[in-house]
Amino acid sequence: MNMPSLEGRWQPVYAEMNGEEAPRMMLDKMEIELAGGEYAVRFGGVTADQGTYTIEADGHLTLAGMIGPNAGRTIPGIFRFAGDILSICYGLGGVRPKQFDTRGGEQLYLANYQRIAKG
């Protein structure tokens, strides 16, 4: 079975950090684009964070920040698809998360994304 592609533009529909839900209003203005091994995070259409990403076969994803607040940082993460929702749990502290849950974790950020239709 082929896994859906991570490539494309994604809008967060839910996010939490260390067990605290992110404000909905913030999510509505945000999107992440994954294309050709590069990522860009935009707020209100303005690129705020940019870099590269690599995917390992076991559902591991690693971001390498180049421009913005994460410049020079490596952010290990895990990802999975549930229907048309892409879930990514980021280890902002540099440690790869073991599960899709941020409670009790240090600097864990979980986001559920929905693909933005092309057009």
Side-chain angles (χ1 to χ4, degrees), residues 6-28:
L6 289 177
E7 301 251 324
R9 290 171 49 227
W10 299 88
Q11 165 111 39
V13 290
Y14 174 82
E16 66 178 48
M17 175 129 181
N18 298 335
E20 302 274 320
E21 189 172 342
R24 178 89 224 166
M25 156 186 114
M26 198 178 99
L27 301 182
D28 289 344

Side-chain angles (χ1 to χ4, degrees), residues 34-48:
L34 301 168
E38 297 189 359
Y39 78 88
V41 178
R42 297 186 190 93
F43 287 96
V46 178
T47 301

Side-chain angles (χ1 to χ4, degrees), residues 27-106:
L27 301 182
D28 289 344
K29 292 182 169 59
M30 187 181 158
E31 75 171 47
I32 183 169
E33 182 171 6
L34 301 168
E38 297 189 359
Y39 78 88
V41 178
R42 297 186 190 93
F43 287 96
V46 178
T47 301
D49 183 9
Q50 205 170 341
T52 61
Y53 72 94
T54 52
I55 295 169
E56 291 93 54
D58 48 7
H60 288 185
L61 168 78
T62 303
L63 303 183
M66 293 164 73
I67 300 167
N70 293 314
R73 289 178 64 195
T74 298
I75 302 170
I78 52 176
F79 73 93
R80 69 177 176 202
F81 287 96
D84 59 352
I85 298 290
L86 166 63
S87 294
I88 303 178
C89 192
Y90 304 93
L92 300 181
V95 178
R96 190 175 311 278
K98 292 180 178 22
Q99 57 193 17
F100 292 88
D101 185 357
T102 67
R103 288 172 302 202
E106 287 190 24

